[in-house]
Amino acid sequence: MNDERRVTPEDDLRAALAPDDTITPLDPARVIAGARRRRKVRGLATAGVASVAVLAVAAGGLLASDWTLGTAPEPADPPLVVSTEPTPTPRPTPLPPTPSNLTPGATITSGSGVTTPGPTASDPPTSPPTPPTVPSCLVASNGEPAPGPAAKQRGTLGNSLIVVADSNYWMACDTTFRTTPSARRPAKLQRPAVQDNDAFAVANNVIETAAGQRDYFWAAGMLPAGVATVRYSFVDGAVVDAKVSNGFWMMRHVSTLPPGAHDLGDRVRVQLLSPTGAVLNDVRLNWGTQTCAQISHGC
């Protein structure tokens, strides 16, 4: 039987490295270990090259699909959901009246946003007033220097307040309190000063309404130079811009509060405004001396 022995690469190295007489012998074990290390390094290098090739191919695929490295694709938009329920139509919110859109001589009830005409507001007189006439107003002057027979009506507010004037004097009358006119003291036909607070005094009477007794205020006068608006404010929250006509202004207001239900010292405020809205005068009338501007009877 032949005893064949398998020859390994290590055996070949040992034979090649066998010592002879010309060179220093090498240690076969060290040479074999070095060969093994070199084979392992070559294997790792080959694997690294293959990995780089794979990354290059992947990067090329990303560029070909217009992606940029490190950026994920945008998520798709959510599907559009259409409601089958009808959409309610929004109702416009009414705007409260402002001084720019007021009807001259109208009363604004604070907080309500409702504009209503002067003394026919929430509590109108139980008996409609009888409109005054120029002759009946002149009679109510009670002998004071007043407009003469040639006087004409220069302004009116509602069906109860008129202004009468000739070339020298003017006066105003109102019939809300009674059928016989209540008359404001006649005055010369000249514009008052802006700071003349007495020129803006009011007449005050208690009238019967469907809600009971209520304070009624009225006033009239000539418009001072540079004044565009004569504004009255009352303790019940009402703000009234006087009506302007032919150089005169007229105001009337029925309070929503019963007489004596508020502080008398805080009752009536007057503001004079320029055409641009600047306040030229702002005063609170003295109760009694500036709230009984009528000569035909007391207050």
Side-chain angles (χ1 to χ4, degrees):
M1 175 182 295
N2 293 330
D3 186 8
E4 294 182 358
R5 185 171 177 270
R6 185 178 178 181
V7 179
T8 66
E10 286 81 1
D11 294 333
D12 292 336
L13 284 174
R14 286 189 181 93
L17 297 174
D20 59 20
D21 296 334
T22 63
I23 61 174
T24 302
L26 297 175
D27 184 357
R30 295 178 61 189
V31 173
I32 292 170
R36 287 176 176 173
R37 286 196 300 272
R38 285 190 293 275
R39 285 199 301 271
K40 184 176 182 180
V41 169
R42 284 196 298 271
L44 293 175
T46 303
V49 171
S51 298
V52 171
V54 171
L55 291 176
V57 172
L62 292 175
L63 292 175
S65 60
D66 292 334
W67 287 5
T68 57
L69 294 178
T71 303
E74 293 291 335
D77 291 334
L80 179 62
V81 178
V82 180
S83 174
T84 58
E85 296 182 1
T87 302
T89 303
R91 296 182 178 179
T93 302
L95 297 177
T98 59
S100 62
N101 62 15
L102 294 181
T103 300
T107 297
I108 307 172
T109 302
S110 178
S112 69
V114 177
T115 303
T116 52
T120 59
S122 58
D123 300 322
T126 52
S127 299
T130 301
T133 63
V134 172
S136 66
C137 187
L138 295 178
V139 170
S141 64
N142 287 339
E144 294 275 347
K152 297 186 181 300
Q153 182 173 302
R154 301 290 298 275
T156 181
L157 180 58
N159 59 351
S160 68
L161 175 57
I162 64 171
V163 171
V164 176
D166 60 12
S167 59
N168 297 307
Y169 293 92
W170 73 273
M171 64 181 296
C173 295
D174 184 84
T175 54
T176 300
F177 174 63
R178 65 181 189 181
T179 303
T180 303
S182 301
R184 190 178 184 91
R185 186 180 300 277
K188 288 186 176 181
L189 196 66
Q190 59 186 24
R191 295 174 180 266
V194 171
Q195 301 301 324
D196 185 0
N197 298 335
D198 289 337
F200 304 95
V202 299
N204 166 235
N205 297 299
V206 176
I207 63 173
E208 293 291 339
T209 73
Q213 290 188 335
R214 293 290 184 267
D215 276 318
Y216 172 64
F217 300 91
W218 70 278
M222 294 195 69
L223 197 65
V227 174
T229 303
V230 179
R231 178 169 297 165
Y232 284 83
S233 301
F234 300 88
V235 74
D236 62 356
V239 177
V240 182
D241 283 358
K243 177 182 177 180
V244 175
S245 174
N246 297 319
F248 294 90
W249 57 268
M250 296 156 284
M251 184 279 304
R252 56 209 284 260
H253 171 62
V254 177
S255 176
T256 59
L257 300 177
H262 40 253
D263 180 6
L264 299 183
D266 224 13
R267 225 169 183 179
V268 182
R269 178 185 184 184
V270 185
Q271 293 173 296
L272 305 183
L273 309 179
S274 72
T276 62
V279 179
L280 305 178
N281 192 10
D282 189 341
V283 62
R284 293 187 181 275
L285 300 179
N286 296 321
W287 187 256
T289 58
Q290 293 179 326
T291 59
C292 192
Q294 52 196 3
I295 61 173
S296 49
H297 55 81
C299 296

